[in-house]
Amino acid sequence: MSALLAAAASSPATAGPNGRTADAFIQRDGSTLTLQGEPFRFAGTNLYWLGLDENVDGTNPPTYFRIDDALKTARVMHATVVRSHTLGTSLGCAQCLQPAPGIFNEGAFAPIDYAVERARAYGLRLIIPLTDQWDYYHGGYPTMAKWLGLKDQKDFYTDPRAKAAYKDYVRHVLNHVNPHTGLAYKDDPTIMSWELGNELNDMTPAWVDEMGAYVGRLAPRQLISAGRQQGVDAAALASPEVDIVDVHYYPSSSAAMTADAARVTDRGKVYIAGEHGSDSLTAADALVLADEPDVAGVLSWSLFGHADDHGYVQHDDGFTLHYPGDTAAMRTDVLANAALAKMTAGQSRPPAVPVTPPLITAITKRSGVNEIAWRGTAGAHTYRVQRSVTGERGPWTTLTTAPVTDNDAPWLDATTPRSRAWYQVTALDRAGRALATSAALVAGPDQDVRVDPLQNWAHTSSHSDSLTRTPDGDDVRIAPPALAAGHIAWQTRHPREITAGFTTHGRVGLPTVQVTRDGTTWTPAKSAVSTTRDGTVLRVEPPRESVGARLVWAPSSRPAPLTGVTLTQEAASVATTTPGAFEQNPKDGATGVPVTAPLTWTASEGASHYAVTVSAHADLSDPVVDVTGLKDTSYSPSTNLRPNTAYYLRVTAVNGAGTCIADGAPTRFTTGALTVDGFESYPDSAALSSSYVRNTGGGPVSLSLDGEHADGEGRALRAAYDPGAPGYVGVIRSLPVPQDWGGARNLRLWAKSDGTEGQSLTVQFVAAGIYWEKTVPLTDTDGTVLTLPLADFTNPPWATKGPLDLTHVTQTSFYFNGKAATAWIDSITATD
């Protein structure tokens, strides 16, 4: 890891001793932003969905947990500024601030109010667009244009009715008073800038001047920003009413950003990159941007936090960031973006944010085996799952031999006992240190348990409109208003126990419990009430034939707020017999098996999961693969099997009643060659050049995908190069996943020359941290297969000497020597 990325990996620093507070406004001093008289620069991210979300169950307000979690995650990534479209742009849908012309939905301010207050609490500043070029789910200026019947949407910028409608909308938003802070949005320093609109490509100078002046009069202490989809907007650059010029970049480009920043700052304006593709910011880009004072701010597109039940909120635009990263590539992206934010913020970073413990949301039987789901923790890298069979105080047994991630939830307890079992989940930081531990949750041997944290209505079957949801720290409270009735109901299946928690102490204002056996007729159920340090707990053991339960509040001057519900019911997926027969692949005697091919098997009836063992020994001793808890019918080892090696495979199906081994297991198979690169996975030449990075110490090279190929099909790497004064040209590829070449004796590749005299090729790789290379002439203009014995590779004169350990190859490189020429390479394999 580079020093830059190592810096990003550290925990958030506390604020410096500069006395900066949330009550100070960000100001503009020419082309510089300042905070309390000192320069203010930032990097952060876009959380476009904070006011209205499209990613979970249609278009809905995000839950308070998701808002809080995402803002905390942004801070963990060292962000100090967040940009969010839906905090200000919300038109044309039932959930929007302005669902129809002249009509405002005051209830839609609830998630916006909360997001602004939480951003303030965490030391984040906000950039909020007030409309949008695009007619997305949250609307934009095309929505207003349609309302007004404008024949050309661009008339939005000139039609007096459109300008009046925009001003009316802006006035309503800016004058809104946040009940959490007591501040009107126009008076809240948390909002650093109002953006006239997102990617407004057709703004006229007159419109920018008029609307910039209007917003400026409404909110004189906040800044005005404007920009277009691509490039510097001339109207924004020229307008005396605009403080910040916003430019967007797909892909991210430090060269383009610094060039645009110079143009903007030369005109005395502040420059920011309001959006850039998060997947294309490199560590080198981060260093360049952090060192360029003309770049006031850089915001990635875009960050998503944890889902309410388990895992992450998913988005499919190709630029999604989850922290710390779903894949190796995303982890690199996260580190680069976090490093830029940390370096840019300098000493102005706010304090670290509080940690929210994980919440176990379900223990569900899967053919008799417990599957545990949990809601994740902002800032966690991995999790530890523990089990107790004696009680919620332990002793605890750690079940995860290797820490698991958010993407592993729900997680299967392959050793589920046939007794009651309590579980707890601990969030761990990058170093494996505990951040916070969940409350324990228990399930019996024939029980399913689910927890409703009440963040939304997803778990409920019905509720009265009178109920209101109020954020309360990491939780929410639900209750009807004083002197109003209310109810909330859940479907159940052979329930065993229902537990509800309330913030109040005692019986005053508690709801009664009712159950139903037909879904229509409700009858009272006897409940037990106990008082804890945190409030009151109501427990019910309803009749097992019930199909629903509900809490009913009678009108009260002090209705007890509900904070959470746990439903325990008969398990839906049990096992009465062992899993059924099934088959596995590769078959016995198979040869030439690709080393990266997944191991597969047919489904076993009644299986909850599978265990896979692979060994070079017939008795399966010293296995190279030994995993369990697999829910699918295939498995790809994290490291490839060795090429040209005999292995033995056994797949075992497991459920709560026992196990079944695949027919004929263990089977013996032999692997073939390892394809190091066949150049078929790159979508275009740009992707190839991104993977094979030029060694800047050598001459220039242009890489492309070419139809010339080892077998006349597919594509090969084409390198047009000029060694020049250095005498060489090099391209370096860091392997996405380390490869094991341990069973290979040769490195084989197809190569072709353009016939230039004196061409040669140096093939280099890094194994176990040590460099190895071999140089061969390039003379064949028709293309030929070169077989390079791995034993002939030597350490370069400048490199550390050491033994050849082929079990961990992390990098391959090609160096072209001689005169300016063109060469082709394809079908690189490690083989016998």
Side-chain angles (χ1 to χ4, degrees):
M1 183 185 297
S2 70
L4 171 68
L5 298 187
S10 63
S11 59
T14 57
N18 48 28
R20 293 176 176 174
T21 71
D23 295 321
F25 284 83
I26 304 294
Q27 296 179 315
R28 172 189 166 203
D29 182 6
S31 61
T32 302
L33 296 175
T34 65
L35 177 58
Q36 294 186 327
E38 297 182 17
F40 178 82
R41 297 180 65 219
F42 63 87
T45 192
N46 280 265
L47 296 169
Y48 73 85
W49 49 269
L50 285 177
L52 189 63
D53 196 0
E54 62 173 329
N55 298 286
V56 182
D57 297 326
T59 299
N60 282 298
T63 62
Y64 292 123
F65 166 78
R66 296 208 306 272
I67 293 170
D68 189 74
D69 178 81
L71 291 172
K72 284 183 177 178
T73 302
R75 279 292 305 115
V76 168
M77 291 179 62
H78 308 293
T80 50
V81 174
V82 163
R83 181 172 175 264
S84 181
H85 300 50
T86 56
L87 294 184
T89 307
S90 185
L91 305 107
C93 70
Q95 304 275 29
C96 286
L97 288 176
Q98 190 173 26
I103 297 173
F104 287 92
N105 174 14
E106 298 303 317
F109 276 109
I112 302 173
D113 290 334
Y114 183 71
V116 172
E117 186 274 329
R118 287 291 84 193
R120 179 180 176 88
Y122 300 146
L124 286 162
R125 307 290 175 146
L126 299 171
I127 296 175
I128 302 179
L130 290 166
T131 193
D132 205 304
Q133 170 78 17
W134 316 108
D135 196 8
Y136 290 132
Y137 72 96
H138 56 83
Y141 89 75
T143 310
M144 285 186 172
K146 285 187 289 187
W147 286 345
L148 295 169
L150 300 180
K151 293 181 179 179
D152 187 340
Q153 289 185 353
K154 295 180 184 179
D155 290 342
F156 171 82
Y157 296 107
T158 56
D159 188 284
R161 297 171 302 155
K163 291 193 287 184
Y166 177 82
K167 288 179 179 178
D168 180 60
Y169 177 81
V170 168
R171 181 174 62 254
H172 194 90
V173 172
L174 269 63
N175 284 332
H176 173 77
V177 176
N178 188 334
H180 299 294
T181 64
L183 295 172
Y185 286 171
K186 65 183 180 183
D187 297 322
D188 192 338
T190 306
I191 300 171
M192 181 181 89
S193 171
W194 295 104
E195 188 175 346
L196 297 183
N198 172 59
E199 296 185 343
L200 299 184
N201 294 330
D202 303 305
M203 294 184 294
T204 65
W207 188 89
V208 173
D209 289 347
E210 181 179 351
M211 298 308 165
Y214 181 75
V215 176
R217 286 193 299 273
L218 284 174
R221 291 182 293 177
Q222 293 163 329
L223 303 176
I224 309 299
S225 54
R228 58 188 297 111
Q229 185 179 9
Q230 294 177 337
V232 176
D233 186 86
L237 187 62
S239 176
E241 307 299 337
V242 172
D243 300 294
I244 301 170
V245 176
D246 176 2
V247 189
H248 297 176
Y249 302 88
Y250 295 91
S252 180
S253 169
S254 60
M257 291 182 196
T258 54
D260 288 343
R263 179 183 172 192
V264 171
T265 55
D266 281 350
R267 296 287 294 274
K269 295 292 179 69
V270 174
Y271 162 87
I272 68 168
E275 294 179 20
H276 73 91
S278 62
D279 65 331
S280 47
L281 179 79
T282 66
D285 289 328
L287 285 171
V288 169
L289 295 171
D291 286 341
E292 178 50 69
D294 285 349
V295 176
V298 181
L299 300 169
S300 66
W301 185 273
S302 65
L303 181 66
F304 294 84
H306 291 101
D308 292 298
D309 289 326
H310 60 83
Y312 297 100
V313 173
Q314 299 297 324
H315 190 67
D316 60 358
D317 69 354
F319 303 104
T320 296
L321 285 181
H322 293 143
Y323 181 90
D326 301 341
T327 63
M330 189 185 291
R331 288 190 288 274
T332 299
D333 296 337
V334 167
L335 286 171
N337 282 277
L340 174 59
K342 187 172 184 178
M343 291 186 296
T344 305
Q347 295 301 311
S348 65
R349 295 188 299 275
V353 295
V355 176
T356 299
L359 173 70
I360 300 178
T361 55
I363 303 173
T364 307
K365 292 292 185 296
R366 183 184 175 102
S367 294
V369 176
N370 284 338
E371 192 172 49
I372 298 93
W374 64 87
R375 189 178 71 183
T377 293
H381 281 253
T382 56
Y383 298 86
R384 178 173 62 227
V385 182
Q386 294 178 302
R387 184 185 67 210
S388 170
V389 294
T390 59
E392 63 182 10
R393 296 185 179 180
W396 295 96
T397 300
T398 297
L399 303 176
T400 44
T401 53
V404 296
T405 71
D406 286 288
N407 291 315
D408 295 313
W411 180 85
L412 209 62
D413 177 8
T415 60
T416 297
R418 297 183 182 181
S419 63
R420 296 182 79 195
W422 286 258
Y423 292 90
Q424 67 178 19
V425 176
T426 300
L428 308 175
D429 68 8
R430 186 183 296 273
R433 296 171 299 217
L435 293 172
T437 299
S438 72
L441 190 65
V442 61
D446 59 349
Q447 295 175 346
D448 289 342
V449 182
R450 57 191 173 103
V451 173
D452 184 355
L454 307 174
Q455 290 282 339
N456 53 31
W457 305 117
H459 294 275
T460 60
S461 55
S462 68
H463 65 278
S464 58
D465 292 337
S466 61
L467 296 186
T468 58
R469 182 181 287 109
T470 305
D472 182 20
D474 295 328
D475 302 311
V476 296
R477 295 180 282 114
I478 286 183
L483 303 179
H487 79 270
I488 182 171
W490 298 265
Q491 287 185 333
T492 61
R493 182 192 61 254
H494 304 303
R496 302 295 181 83
E497 182 180 81
I498 299 173
T499 303
F502 300 85
T503 58
T504 57
H505 291 78
R507 297 176 179 267
V508 175
L510 282 180
T512 58
V513 183
Q514 297 177 347
V515 295
T516 182
R517 300 185 185 190
D518 59 9
T520 302
T521 305
W522 295 89
T523 58
K526 186 178 180 180
S527 60
V529 178
S530 59
T531 300
T532 70
R533 180 180 59 185
D534 299 321
T536 300
V537 176
L538 187 153
R539 287 184 173 85
V540 182
E541 294 184 10
R544 293 195 179 185
E545 59 270 25
S546 301
V547 296
R550 69 181 183 181
L551 301 175
V552 180
W553 283 267
S556 169
S557 59
R558 290 188 296 163
L562 177 67
T563 58
V565 172
T566 302
L567 297 100
T568 303
Q569 54 195 9
E570 183 178 291
S573 178
V574 296
T576 57
T577 60
T578 58
F582 67 106
E583 298 179 350
Q584 66 181 35
N585 291 295
K587 298 295 186 184
D588 196 46
T591 59
V593 175
V595 297
T596 56
L599 306 167
T600 64
W601 52 93
T602 60
S604 169
E605 184 178 358
S608 66
H609 65 281
Y610 302 89
V612 174
T613 304
V614 179
S615 171
H617 308 287
D619 63 358
L620 300 178
S621 59
D622 299 321
V624 296
V625 175
D626 191 14
V627 296
T628 189
L630 302 174
K631 303 172 190 176
D632 298 323
T633 54
S634 67
Y635 176 70
S636 296
S638 56
T639 301
N640 61 274
L641 299 177
R642 289 187 172 187
N644 309 303
T645 302
Y647 286 106
Y648 296 85
L649 167 68
R650 181 185 68 199
V651 180
T652 304
V654 183
N655 68 15
T659 62
C660 176
I661 297 174
D663 294 346
T667 55
R668 183 182 186 277
F669 66 93
T670 304
T671 57
L674 165 65
T675 298
V676 178
D677 203 341
F679 301 100
E680 304 304 328
S681 63
Y682 304 101
D684 50 38
S685 297
L688 175 70
S689 299
S690 178
S691 182
Y692 282 85
V693 180
R694 172 181 168 247
N695 185 327
T696 55
V701 59
S702 175
L703 298 183
S704 59
L705 292 168
D706 196 277
E708 295 286 346
H709 188 272
D711 57 8
E713 297 179 359
R715 298 175 298 183
L717 177 149
R718 178 183 183 274
Y721 58 87
D722 183 359
Y728 72 91
V729 169
V731 291
I732 304 165
R733 180 191 180 212
S734 296
L735 297 175
V737 177
Q739 296 179 348
D740 185 345
W741 297 359
R745 292 195 297 271
N746 298 292
L747 193 65
R748 192 168 291 157
L749 66 145
W750 177 88
K752 176 184 171 181
S753 166
D754 69 350
T756 300
E757 183 180 359
Q759 272 186 299
S760 67
L761 172 69
T762 299
V763 180
Q764 184 185 94
F765 61 85
V766 177
I770 297 176
Y771 285 82
W772 298 86
E773 66 180 26
K774 180 176 176 60
T775 301
V776 293
L778 273 183
T779 58
D780 198 312
T781 56
D782 293 323
T784 188
V785 174
L786 301 175
T787 300
L788 311 178
L790 288 164
D792 291 351
F793 280 70
T794 59
N795 305 125
W798 47 264
T800 301
K801 305 300 186 285
L804 180 60
D805 179 359
L806 294 169
T807 63
H808 195 75
V809 179
T810 57
Q811 181 178 286
T812 57
S813 305
F814 298 101
Y815 287 87
F816 305 96
N817 316 298
K819 302 175 182 177
T822 300
W824 291 260
I825 296 174
D826 193 25
S827 299
I828 311 162
T829 60
T831 185
D832 57 6

